[in-house]
């Protein structure tokens, strides 16, 4: 497939994406620039990590929707990379053999097209050490991304009653290829019994969304972006 055909496919997908947002009511018109894109990790055939039959992709979407509603209520222009259970790799028609890489590339295309001020990717963690617990924020190798990660980590630490530092994402595809300040928020360890119980609880999911939204608000206050 030549470059011209690839570009046509990309722009067709972008048009479809905007129409979908309008039809589902997730965008009121098309803002000049989105404040936040919430990237909902995994989806469709890719369930992510799991525990006791609970899939990461489901928890990411549940919390992501709560975060979306909270940020919208605070007046931000917000988008989501997916609003239901499907694989973003299915939308990517580029000649890439790896389904995982097609998925990640599609997330990058969305971010590039919508050009948000910040990009927040939601995930769940797993460890072979079952006592390991708590949130972990992974950031790009730049100051703005670190500043956002630092605020998120601070507030999430308080919520979980734990002390952790954000981690630089050296090998993560999105952290290497996105232009806007970007973070991956690992919301907890499904391999830890306490975290597992917490992230499944509706009340705690809302607390997570409120905490992330509060940190985002602080970031925009401290580091205003035009």
């Amino acid at each position: 497939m030549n470059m011209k055909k690839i570009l046509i496919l990309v722009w067709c997908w972008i048009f479809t994406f905007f129409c979908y947002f309008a039809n589902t009511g997730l965008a009121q018109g098309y803002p000049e620039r989105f404040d936040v894109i919430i990237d909902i990790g995994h989806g469709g055939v890719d369930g992510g990590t799991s525990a006791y039959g609970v899939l990461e992709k489901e928890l990411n979407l549940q919390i992501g929707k709560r975060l979306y509603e909270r940020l919208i209520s605070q007046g931000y222009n917000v988008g989501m990379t997916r609003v239901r259970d499907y694989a973003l790799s299915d939308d990517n028609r580029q000649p890439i053999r790896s389904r995982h890489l097609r998925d990640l590339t599609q997330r990058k295309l969305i971010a590039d097209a919508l050009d948000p001020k910040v990009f927040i990717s939601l995930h769940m963690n797993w460890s072979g050490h079952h006592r390991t617990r708590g949130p972990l924020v992974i950031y790009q190798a730049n100051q703005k991304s670190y500043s956002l990660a630092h605020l998120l980590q601070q507030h999430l630490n308080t919520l979980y009653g734990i002390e952790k530092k954000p981690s630089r994402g050296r090998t993560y595809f999105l952290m290497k290829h996105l232009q806007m300040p970007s973070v991956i928020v690992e919301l907890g360890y499904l391999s830890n019994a306490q975290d597992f119980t917490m992230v499944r609880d509706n009340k705690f999911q809302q607390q997570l969304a409120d905490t992330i939204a509060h940190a985002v608000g602080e970031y925009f206050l401290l580091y205003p972006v035009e």
Side-chain angles (χ1 to χ4, degrees):
M1 184 180 293
N2 61 37
M3 183 57 67
K4 183 178 180 180
K5 288 183 178 179
I6 291 175
L7 289 173
I8 290 172
L9 286 172
V10 169
W11 284 111
C12 284
W13 182 89
I14 291 171
F15 176 77
T16 303
F17 178 80
F18 274 107
C19 289
Y20 181 75
F21 261 57
N23 290 336
T24 54
L26 291 181
Q28 301 300 320
Y30 302 142
E32 291 184 3
R33 188 178 186 190
F34 282 80
D35 295 308
V36 182
I37 294 300
I38 305 168
D39 176 42
I40 310 298
H42 306 283
V45 298
D46 179 8
T49 191
S50 64
Y52 304 104
V54 177
L55 299 177
E56 175 187 354
K57 66 174 183 177
E58 299 165 351
L59 296 171
N60 294 339
L61 184 57
Q62 291 166 12
I63 296 167
K65 286 181 175 179
R66 293 178 186 273
L67 176 58
Y68 173 87
E69 294 295 340
R70 174 57 65 195
L71 289 171
I72 287 291
S73 73
Q74 294 176 353
Y76 294 109
N77 294 318
V78 189
M80 295 171 66
T81 54
R82 66 179 179 92
V83 295
R84 55 186 175 82
D85 181 21
Y86 62 89
L88 288 172
S89 57
D90 292 344
D91 293 330
N92 191 324
R93 304 304 178 187
Q94 296 186 46
I96 301 173
R97 283 191 174 186
S98 166
R99 187 209 60 78
H100 181 60
L101 185 55
R102 287 200 311 275
D103 177 276
L104 293 174
T105 303
Q106 193 67 18
R107 295 173 195 274
K108 179 185 182 301
L109 289 173
I110 294 171
D112 289 345
L114 301 184
D115 188 29
K117 296 174 184 176
V118 298
F119 182 95
I120 299 174
S121 187
L122 301 182
H123 285 266
M124 296 288 164
N125 223 332
W126 178 272
S127 173
H129 302 284
H130 297 320
R131 292 185 179 182
T132 302
R133 64 176 300 265
L136 176 65
V137 185
I138 300 164
Y139 62 92
Q140 289 172 303
N142 61 64
Q143 184 58 47
K144 287 184 177 180
S145 179
Y146 171 77
S147 297
L148 175 59
H150 179 71
L151 288 168
L152 285 163
Q153 189 72 64
Q154 274 191 322
H155 288 288
L156 288 169
N157 282 348
T158 299
L159 179 63
Y160 274 80
I162 202 168
E163 282 296 327
K164 283 193 174 184
K165 294 182 179 180
S167 174
R168 178 175 169 179
R170 299 178 183 275
T171 61
Y172 292 86
F173 179 91
L174 292 176
M175 297 297 94
K176 292 194 295 183
H177 292 90
L178 293 179
Q179 300 302 310
M180 69 291 300
S182 306
V183 295
I184 297 171
V185 183
E186 299 280 2
L187 295 161
Y189 284 81
L190 296 189
S191 50
N192 176 269
Q194 185 176 354
D195 280 7
F196 178 76
T197 300
M198 291 168 71
V199 297
R200 293 182 65 211
D201 179 75
N202 289 334
K203 182 178 179 181
F204 189 76
Q205 285 187 1
Q206 189 60 56
Q207 289 177 321
L208 273 171
D210 294 345
T211 298
I212 294 172
H214 184 75
V216 169
E218 278 195 19
Y219 174 81
F220 285 138
L221 183 63
L222 293 172
Y223 309 98
V225 182
E226 297 299 330

